[in-house]
Amino acid sequence: MKKIFKITGIIFISSLLFYCSDSDNSTNPDPDPDPDGGGEPVEAVTTLINTLNVPWELIWGPDDFLWVTERNGKISRIDPDSGKQTEVMEITSVAQVQESGLLGMVHHPDFNTNPFVYVVYTYDNGTSGLLERLVRYRFENNALSNETTLLDNIPANSIHNGSRLLITPDEHLIMTTGDAGSANSSQDMSSLAGKILRLNLDGSIPNDNPTPGSYVYSYGHRNAQGLVLHPNGSLYISEHGPSSDDEINRIEAGKNYGWPDIRGVIDTPNEEAFANTTTTVESIYNWTPTIAPSDLIYYTSDRIPEWKNKLVMTVLKEQQVIALTLNADGTEVINEETFFDRKYGRLRDIAISPSGRVFIATNGTSYQDNSNTHSIIEINKIE
């Protein structure tokens, strides 16, 4: 029998971001060694930069720089040691309205030969309102140029835009889309809203997609903002629920994940009746009340041993990092641990370097905070 895992909590009271300081360490020396082996005490968390306008995607680039999208339309490279920010593109057609704007980003896996960067953003088409667009840019001379549209007219809204991206080892582009505030569109196979999409890198539809001629890889999603490929090949998403049932889902090709007819696991008569009419997959983990899960990675490094071989997720509403242990075949979450509870504000995104360095993009205390005061912090060790 499936179990529903729940946590309890209350809506947080807005608080100022707090960062460890040199004076803190001077009065309470840290006996732990530097993760790089230098033997000197280090702060658990350091601030790399604190002048960003709502950072949304944060990834470690093939050039060994951090790449970040800001929801107002800016794409930058950031030196992971000095924090120096270099803008490589400002997309002027971006429409930033509440949760919309410049969102997901990923690099071509063979970046040296094909220096392409794929991004998702929302725009106002002037007639029917907000839409979402998946585009590709070419990186040369320290700038992005030559916008090529791969997929357009994706439903968008000021809420529920999904937009996380990854590229699989067989070079397929995976993209999450939200229901754009129209829950029933998630069950509509003619709509790209509320889906996991699978594309070739040129924007065409793969011949082996579950439904011939369709980008849709799975459906019945509300708003997935975390997306990761496990080393074993399994695809996982973190997904926002309404007032209940934030979810971790293990994605299977062609399957229905139930929204809006099923929330979390199937445990009501109406949900059972709906499940009998379609091939529905239950979530593998749930949170009620909701916590607002965001980015999701799988951590394999020894650098932070508390997270090794676990799904690690940033959390917005509850302002945490959560580490999830999977069972041997990856079909269940068997343990949950929380870190940095409400110490650094809303945590949007997480990036990992090849050596296991961990960087997190913070989002202040409210999704409506569009100030230029958001941060990237580095997690050096667990406090």
Side-chain angles (χ1 to χ4, degrees):
M1 174 187 289
K2 296 271 186 180
K3 294 183 178 179
I4 303 176
F5 293 81
K6 298 185 177 182
I7 65 170
T8 59
I10 60 172
I11 302 298
F12 66 83
I13 300 174
S14 297
S15 60
L16 295 176
L17 297 182
F18 171 79
Y19 299 97
C20 295
S21 66
D22 292 337
S23 61
D24 290 334
N25 281 338
S26 65
T27 55
N28 294 289
D30 192 325
D32 293 339
D34 183 344
D36 289 325
E40 295 297 323
V42 295
E43 294 177 272
V45 174
T46 54
T47 302
L48 186 64
I49 186 172
N50 60 5
T51 56
L52 300 176
N53 178 279
V54 195
W56 204 91
E57 185 76 75
L58 179 67
I59 53 179
W60 186 272
D63 55 356
D64 292 329
F65 276 72
L66 288 164
W67 287 61
V68 60
T69 65
E70 296 173 67
R71 218 158 54 193
N72 62 359
K74 184 187 294 185
I75 304 175
S76 300
R77 298 166 65 239
I78 296 176
D79 186 310
D81 298 314
S82 70
K84 180 181 178 182
Q85 180 182 16
T86 304
E87 182 179 324
V88 296
M89 165 68 74
E90 184 170 0
I91 307 173
T92 58
S93 55
V94 163
Q96 180 186 15
V97 185
Q98 293 185 20
E99 297 176 18
S100 67
L102 175 57
L103 303 172
M105 174 174 59
V106 70
H107 292 85
H108 192 286
D110 185 11
F111 193 70
N112 289 333
T113 304
N114 299 292
F116 297 131
V117 178
Y118 303 80
V119 302
V120 177
Y121 64 84
T122 58
Y123 66 97
D124 192 331
N125 73 349
T127 55
S128 58
L130 291 177
L131 291 171
E132 193 166 77
R133 178 181 288 151
L134 170 65
V135 301
R136 184 188 70 200
Y137 294 106
R138 184 178 185 87
F139 183 64
E140 55 188 352
N141 300 321
N142 294 316
L144 293 175
S145 60
N146 300 326
E147 178 175 299
T148 300
T149 299
L150 302 182
L151 187 59
D152 206 346
N153 298 313
I154 304 166
N157 206 326
S158 59
I159 58 172
H160 302 183
N161 294 303
S163 303
R164 201 63 73 179
L165 299 175
L166 68 75
I167 296 177
T168 62
D170 61 355
E171 296 196 355
H172 288 106
L173 181 62
I174 308 295
M175 174 181 174
T176 71
T177 67
D179 67 10
S182 176
N184 290 334
S185 63
S186 297
Q187 294 294 322
D188 181 358
M189 290 294 286
S190 68
S191 172
L192 295 179
K195 310 293 191 297
I196 306 297
L197 308 181
R198 182 172 181 260
L199 303 81
N200 294 318
L201 295 188
D202 62 1
S204 61
I205 299 173
N207 292 329
D208 58 348
N209 267 10
T211 301
S214 173
Y215 290 107
V216 175
Y217 191 70
S218 66
Y219 63 109
H221 300 289
R222 185 174 183 268
N223 188 24
Q225 291 191 350
L227 174 68
V228 67
L229 190 68
H230 190 282
N232 67 13
S234 295
L235 191 67
Y236 295 89
I237 64 170
S238 58
E239 187 163 356
H240 290 258
S243 58
S244 67
D245 296 297
D246 282 341
E247 300 176 349
I248 298 292
N249 282 302
R250 182 172 178 266
I251 300 302
E252 300 177 45
K255 298 300 177 63
N256 184 355
Y257 287 78
W259 174 255
D261 300 277
I262 295 173
R263 302 179 181 186
V265 297
I266 301 166
D267 58 0
T268 70
N270 287 341
E271 291 177 335
E272 291 174 359
F274 178 80
N276 288 334
T277 68
T278 183
T279 305
T280 306
V281 179
E282 294 179 305
S283 58
I284 66 170
Y285 203 68
N286 300 62
W287 289 270
T288 298
T290 54
I291 59 172
S294 192
D295 194 28
L296 189 66
I297 58 97
Y298 189 79
Y299 193 74
T300 59
S301 175
D302 291 322
R303 193 180 184 99
I304 300 182
E306 294 90 341
W307 294 352
K308 187 174 182 181
N309 297 329
K310 298 174 184 179
L311 291 173
V312 179
M313 183 176 69
T314 49
V315 175
L316 294 163
K317 187 172 75 173
E318 291 302 306
Q319 304 180 18
Q320 300 167 333
V321 172
I322 292 180
L324 302 170
T325 304
L326 298 169
N327 64 354
D329 62 4
T331 57
E332 294 182 23
V333 173
I334 58 176
N335 191 49
E336 173 187 351
E337 302 163 90
T338 61
F339 301 87
F340 308 113
D341 189 29
R342 302 186 185 184
K343 293 191 71 173
Y344 305 107
R346 292 159 52 85
L347 305 181
R348 168 66 67 183
D349 202 63
I350 184 168
I352 310 299
S353 79
S355 66
R357 293 176 69 181
V358 177
F359 300 87
I360 290 177
T362 74
N363 262 181
T365 57
S366 168
Y367 76 91
Q368 296 176 318
D369 179 1
N370 292 331
S371 65
N372 296 312
T373 59
H374 301 282
S375 303
I376 294 173
I377 59 177
E378 180 173 6
I379 309 299
N380 299 306
K381 59 187 178 65
I382 299 300
E383 296 170 294

